[in-house]
Amino acid sequence: MGERILIALGGNAMTGPDGTASPRDQQAAVERAMRHVRSLVAAGHRVILTHGNGPQVGNLLLKNQLAASVVPPVPLDWCGAQTQATIGTLILNSLQGRSAAVVTRTLVDVGDPAFLDPVKPIGRYFPEAEARIFEKLGQSWRSFERGWRRVVASPEPLEILDAPAVQVLMDAGYTVVAAGGGGVPVVRLDDGSLAGIEAVIDKDLAAALLARSVRASVLIIATDVPNAVVGFGGPDPRPLGAISVSELRVLHAAGHFAGGSMGPKVEAALRFVGAGGRLAVITGLESLGGALTGTIGTRVERDAGSD
C-alpha cells in the first residue's frame, strides 16, 4: 500500500509558461502537471491535490469590473468557488480514473487582525484614477511599482470544513481535488451559521491544514524552482536539500525566505511536519514523480528522536 500524499500545485501548473490564463493555456498546463501526478497514482499512492487560482480569480474580477453596469458583480468568495469548480473539472478530465473535486470551504475568524490591514494583492494593475473609483465602492487599493492593485485580507486558516468529505472519497479510492486557492473563506456568525467573506487564504498554509486533517503522511509543495534557497538573489545562494524542522525554523526566523513567495511554503512545510507529518518536500513541478525517492527538492524531516 502506498502513502497518502497531498500535492499543492503552484500557479505555474495552471497557466501557460508566460503566466497567461487563456482556456487553452490552462488546459495544456493542467495536462502537463497531471502527467506527473498520474505517475504517483499509478505507483499505488493515495493522492489529494490542491492548487492556486490567482490568475483565474484575477480574470473574474476584471469581468466583474467591465460588466458591472450590465450584471451585478459577484463577491470574492464566489469567485473562489467558481475557480475551484473550473480548475477541478480540468484536473478531473486530465486525471481520468476514479477522481473527484470538492468545492471546499475554509473557516477563518472574523476577528482575525488581517481584516484590519488588508495587504494581499489580487487582480490586475490599474491607473490610480480607476483605483480611486473602486475605493469609493468600499474596496482597498494600494500603489505598487507597476500601478495600483486591490488588496484584501489573508486571514489564518482555522479548519477545512469539508475535509470529512475528502476523507470519505479518499477511503473509497478516489484521487481528490480540494481546497483550491486555499478554500472558499467563510466565517461563523453569532447564530452558528456560516457566511462567505471577501478574503484570500494562503493556499500552502491551507494545504498543510488539509493534509493534517486527512492524515496524509507526505506534503509535496510543487513550485517553479527545484529547492528552497538560502541567500536567494545574493552572491552565494545555497539550495537546501534534506533539513530538519528545527534547522529550517531557525533559517525561516532569520528572514531567509520572502513573505510573498517561498516564505509561506516553508511555513506550511514546518507546520505539517511539526504536527506529525512524515515528510514535506518543496520542489519543481517536473520533479513530482521522484519526490519520494530522497534525492530531489528541499526535504523537511522530523527532528531526530521525535515521534
Side-chain angles (χ1 to χ4, degrees), residues 218-242:
V218 178
L219 170 65
I220 301 175
I221 301 175
T223 184
D224 55 359
V225 292
N227 300 73
V229 175
V230 172
F232 181 79
D236 188 27
R238 177 167 62 93
L240 295 176

Side-chain angles (χ1 to χ4, degrees), residues 54 57-65 68 73-80 115 117-128 130-154 185 196-200:
V57 168
N59 284 348
L60 288 180
L61 292 174
L62 181 59
K63 291 178 182 178
N64 269 351
Q65 292 161 0
V74 299
L76 184 57
D77 52 301
W78 285 33
C79 293
F115 288 108
D117 183 26
V119 296
K120 175 69 175 178
I122 60 171
R124 303 191 183 190
Y125 292 94
F126 283 83
E128 181 178 359
E130 292 190 48
R132 296 300 186 188
I133 293 173
F134 298 126
E135 281 187 328
K136 292 178 181 177
L137 300 176
Q139 298 179 4
S140 296
W141 286 70
R142 291 192 180 183
S143 175
F144 294 86
E145 185 175 340
R146 294 170 53 192
W148 286 68
R149 290 182 79 185
R150 184 182 173 187
V151 291
V152 298
S154 184
I197 192 166
E198 294 211 304
V200 171

Side-chain angles (χ1 to χ4, degrees), residues 25-48:
D25 290 330
Q26 292 183 62
Q27 201 158 8
V30 168
E31 175 56 35
R32 287 193 298 271
M34 290 309 107
R35 292 185 197 129
H36 303 296
V37 173
R38 287 195 295 265
S39 68
L40 291 174
V41 175
H45 300 295
R46 295 283 180 88
V47 174
I48 322 110

